[in-house]
Amino acid sequence: MSNNSRKKSKHSEVFEPFNLVVFGGDGDLALRKIYPALFHRQIDGQLLCDYNVIAITRKNPSETTFYSELVRFLKESTEDSEIDFEIDEFIKKVKLISAPEASVEGYFELSAFLNSFPNFQNIYYFSTPSSAFGPIAQALKSSGLVKKSSKVVLEKPLGYSLESSKSINEDITKAFNEKQIYRIDHYLGKETVQNLMVLRFANNLFERAWDSEHIDNIQITVSESLGVEKRAAYYDNSGALLDMVQNHLLQLLCLVAMEPPHTLEADEVRNEKLKVLRSMRLFTKKSVLTDTVKGQYSRGIVKGVEVQSYLEDIKKFNSKTETFVAIKAYVDNWRWKEVPFYLRTGKRMLKRYSEIVINFKEVRHNIFPSKEKLNNNKLIIRLQPEERIELVQMTKIPGPGGYRYKPIALKLDFLDSFKERFPEAYERLIIDVIRGNQTLFMRQDELEAAWTWIESITSNWKAAGMNNILYEAGTWGPGDDIMDEESTWITKTWKES
Ligand code: BG6
């Protein structure tokens, strides 16, 4: 890309110079998401400051392999082909350091490098398994590398239970305080997710009808056509509930359900989200059986290609891990009394899409002579693959013949309305870390409240002896035929939305 071909950011900001130190620096997430995110902010002209990127690896990789991989991922992150100059400039800022062990000795080279930039803020990005977080934090502290201006970014999974999440936090807080900790949930960095705040709190129209008096149910769906890819070991320890619901779907639910915060200040927003999480109805041995479903994919056809079963994918034939989960959840507070929130996510589904559907109640009384069914209004917030908002409303069919009507959607397509490239979630989040804004990051108490609710499911799945229902890859998941009357809501509403 030539220097001028991409529209420069209207929002260039002068940040303090920084060192971004990425642990797990040659890993998939770093190469696929973290470096390209910074690179795009750079070429958009938003990063008007000095900075270095330090990739820390435990291995002893060849520099040539690392840099050629990095170039490949940077190239893949853009459709622009004339981008070599920008890539060369960016690569000059990236340094690879091998630190096989987390200790003062192991971090000797890192210390020497960081100390040669005494006026830079140090941002440590832990993109490693969470078991390594404590030792890395301790080694950084012992090496004198944690200063008041330092920050730490933590990638999920932040534990596998309430207890393990607390223990990770204890380890981290021995070196960093809460104001320095950025727990990433990349869903909060998505444009359409942030737009939820604007939609709700900058439009009087919706807020007036945003409660149990007007809303019948809310559905939050994240459907993926991919399987577990190369993450078998991680995924088999998590499953759909921990991998997706504990973080992404619950965060979406919080943004839909929370009260208007006083301001956008980080703790104001996080306090409101926390109240929602603490109001969520805990499951019992009885309610997990009627209000949750878990499934695992078997062989099938996805986008015309035959794919293996989950068990074949992970090469472990006794795994009980769920790759699909559907939950009917309730937020027990004044606003949401008895409004079901349907949360659903699965791997190897028919197609990839994420959306939030707000289903309003039907009108109280039908005045029209035909008495044809009046469909309820729906507000559909499509997060991906397209980003759009639809408001489905009943409309008169033009012409004679009395009042005939049908549901028509008013559509706002983001791409059509804002003809700009949307930054990736990680771009927004990394910039927020640099600028020191914690609004889009989770606080420990939020995490603990989420874990308490999640554990009411996992412990009762165990107590009730609940098994996975097998579903064919490339379908919508467990079907009505294997569900009892009470549970048909799960597939019925899934297919309709
Ligand atoms: C990650 C999960 O957090 O989110 C993955 O670990 C999942 O399993 C991914 O595929 C989905 O993210 P996105 O942005 O593609 O919807």
Side-chain angles (χ1 to χ4, degrees):
M1 176 173 65
S2 76
N3 276 333
N4 299 324
S5 64
R6 179 139 156 192
K7 218 162 66 183
K8 293 284 178 200
S9 174
K10 293 179 230 97
H11 310 287
S12 42
E13 280 177 66
V14 181
F15 299 116
E16 262 180 67
F18 64 90
N19 291 310
L20 177 68
V21 185
V22 185
F23 293 87
D26 56 344
D28 195 59
L29 184 81
L31 289 162
R32 200 180 290 279
K33 297 285 182 193
I34 304 174
Y35 306 136
L38 206 61
F39 173 62
H40 280 277
R41 291 299 87 219
Q42 168 72 56
I43 57 179
D44 261 11
Q46 195 177 9
L47 285 175
L48 298 179
C49 68
D50 277 345
Y51 66 91
N52 300 300
V53 179
I54 302 101
I56 305 288
T57 161
R58 292 173 76 96
K59 295 171 242 146
N60 212 347
S62 91
E63 295 221 337
T64 329
T65 315
F66 172 74
Y67 286 107
S68 66
E69 278 283 273
L70 179 55
V71 169
R72 179 166 75 84
F73 279 103
L74 295 179
K75 281 195 170 150
E76 276 176 20
S77 73
T78 169
E79 282 165 10
D80 224 312
S81 51
E82 292 170 45
I83 199 151
D84 294 349
F85 172 78
E86 283 84 357
I87 291 186
D88 285 349
E89 289 300 296
F90 182 77
I91 295 280
K92 282 184 201 153
K93 295 175 180 292
V94 183
K95 184 175 171 60
L96 179 68
I97 292 183
S98 163
E101 68 173 58
S103 64
V104 175
E105 299 71 41
Y107 290 173
F108 188 75
E109 191 184 346
L110 175 65
S111 296
F113 184 83
L114 296 181
N115 290 336
S116 61
F117 296 92
N119 299 324
F120 282 34
Q121 60 160 322
N122 292 330
I123 299 171
Y124 302 109
Y125 199 124
F126 291 5
S127 174
T128 64
S130 54
S131 54
F133 289 2
I136 299 174
Q138 186 53 50
L140 289 172
K141 190 175 175 207
S142 310
S143 306
L145 294 174
V146 182
K147 304 190 193 123
K148 222 169 145 204
S149 63
S150 305
K151 293 164 184 159
V152 63
V153 185
L154 306 179
E155 263 299 336
K156 71 180 255 272
L158 296 173
Y160 290 92
S161 60
L162 177 60
E163 201 189 324
S164 59
S165 144
K166 281 184 175 168
S167 134
I168 292 168
N169 194 52
E170 262 168 41
D171 288 345
I172 295 288
T173 48
K174 285 182 189 141
F176 299 91
N177 64 45
E178 184 66 38
K179 291 271 173 234
Q180 297 174 298
I181 304 176
Y182 292 74
R183 298 177 190 85
I184 256 190
D185 183 317
H186 78 277
Y187 264 60
L188 293 180
K190 290 183 189 270
E191 276 295 330
T192 23
V193 175
Q194 287 168 41
N195 188 46
L196 248 178
M197 297 275 278
V198 177
L199 186 79
R200 283 198 57 198
F201 303 127
N203 293 295
N204 213 1
L205 181 66
F206 298 118
E207 198 48 32
R208 301 283 151 160
W210 211 257
D211 57 22
S212 58
E213 217 180 299
H214 302 92
I215 292 178
D216 187 71
N217 67 76
I218 293 177
Q219 308 191 4
I220 303 180
T221 303
V222 179
S223 158
E224 298 186 278
S225 52
L226 287 179
V228 291
E229 311 304 296
K230 292 182 187 146
R231 300 157 75 223
Y234 153 75
Y235 194 87
D236 203 45
N237 268 324
S238 302
L241 186 70
L242 269 51
D243 183 48
M244 296 297 288
V245 182
Q246 194 273 344
N247 35 68
H248 309 324
L249 276 85
L250 278 186
Q251 286 295 319
L252 294 180
L253 182 148
C254 283
L255 294 182
V256 172
M258 74 184 190
E259 294 301 315
H262 170 53
T263 64
L264 266 193
E265 202 268 317
D267 279 335
E268 297 284 351
V269 174
R270 300 193 294 181
N271 289 344
E272 295 306 336
K273 289 199 294 173
L274 178 64
K275 283 190 212 157
V276 173
L277 290 166
R278 287 193 175 152
S279 310
M280 292 192 66
R281 188 181 301 170
L282 298 179
F283 281 87
T284 60
K285 194 169 157 187
K286 188 160 171 250
S287 66
V288 281
L289 289 170
T290 52
D291 290 359
T292 74
V293 167
K294 60 200 205 83
Q296 192 185 73
Y297 64 82
S298 57
R299 286 182 187 179
I301 296 178
V302 177
K303 294 186 192 150
V305 177
E306 276 185 35
V307 297
Q308 306 193 110
S309 68
Y310 174 71
L311 299 180
E312 288 165 322
D313 276 347
I314 64 159
K315 297 186 180 50
K316 196 172 145 196
F317 291 91
N318 57 358
S319 171
K320 302 245 182 298
T321 301
E322 79 289 348
T323 59
F324 171 95
V325 65
I327 300 166
K328 188 178 188 180
Y330 290 93
V331 177
D332 283 334
N333 65 14
W334 193 288
R335 189 189 282 260
W336 296 115
K337 190 172 167 50
E338 298 306 327
V339 176
F341 286 74
Y342 298 105
L343 308 179
R344 283 172 299 217
T345 184
K347 297 249 183 232
R348 282 281 186 242
M349 310 297 293
L350 185 63
K351 59 179 180 187
R352 172 180 184 248
Y353 83 96
S354 307
E355 73 180 16
I356 300 171
V357 180
I358 315 289
N359 275 311
F360 289 90
K361 288 190 168 159
E362 283 173 24
V363 291
R364 286 168 209 212
H365 168 65
N366 185 351
I367 63 164
F368 297 100
S370 78
K371 297 291 175 221
E372 239 178 83
K373 185 176 158 41
L374 285 167
N375 290 45
N376 57 318
N377 296 122
K378 273 179 205 266
L379 177 65
I380 304 174
I381 303 156
R382 177 62 71 102
L383 308 176
Q384 54 197 29
E386 326 82 39
E387 286 145 319
R388 99 175 158 240
I389 293 176
E390 284 180 30
L391 180 61
V392 182
Q393 39 144 27
M394 293 307 288
T395 307
K396 180 179 177 301
I397 300 170
Y403 279 100
R404 289 170 303 124
Y405 35 76
K406 69 174 193 179
I408 301 273
L410 289 175
K411 286 191 191 161
L412 165 69
D413 197 308
F414 278 57
L415 254 184
D416 287 350
S417 307
F418 306 97
K419 300 197 182 314
E420 313 185 0
R421 166 186 177 270
F422 289 174
E424 276 264 325
Y426 275 89
E427 296 179 40
R428 166 70 195 254
L429 295 173
I430 289 175
I431 289 289
D432 273 353
V433 177
I434 298 167
R435 69 158 76 93
N437 182 350
Q438 289 182 306
T439 308
L440 298 179
F441 298 85
M442 285 175 294
R443 216 169 46 191
Q444 179 64 18
D445 48 6
E446 273 182 76
L447 204 65
E448 288 179 14
W451 273 120
T452 304
W453 183 76
I454 289 285
E455 284 199 346
S456 78
I457 301 177
T458 48
S459 61
N460 284 304
W461 273 352
K462 222 172 174 184
M466 230 174 106
N467 289 321
N468 286 320
I469 299 172
L470 284 183
Y471 61 96
E472 222 177 279
T475 66
W476 284 131
D480 322 54
D481 48 331
I482 26 183
M483 248 171 261
D484 61 33
E485 260 306 288
E486 260 187 288
S487 295
T488 47
W489 57 265
I490 292 163
T491 43
K492 197 162 148 268
T493 48
W494 168 267
K495 280 174 192 155
E496 275 172 2
S497 59

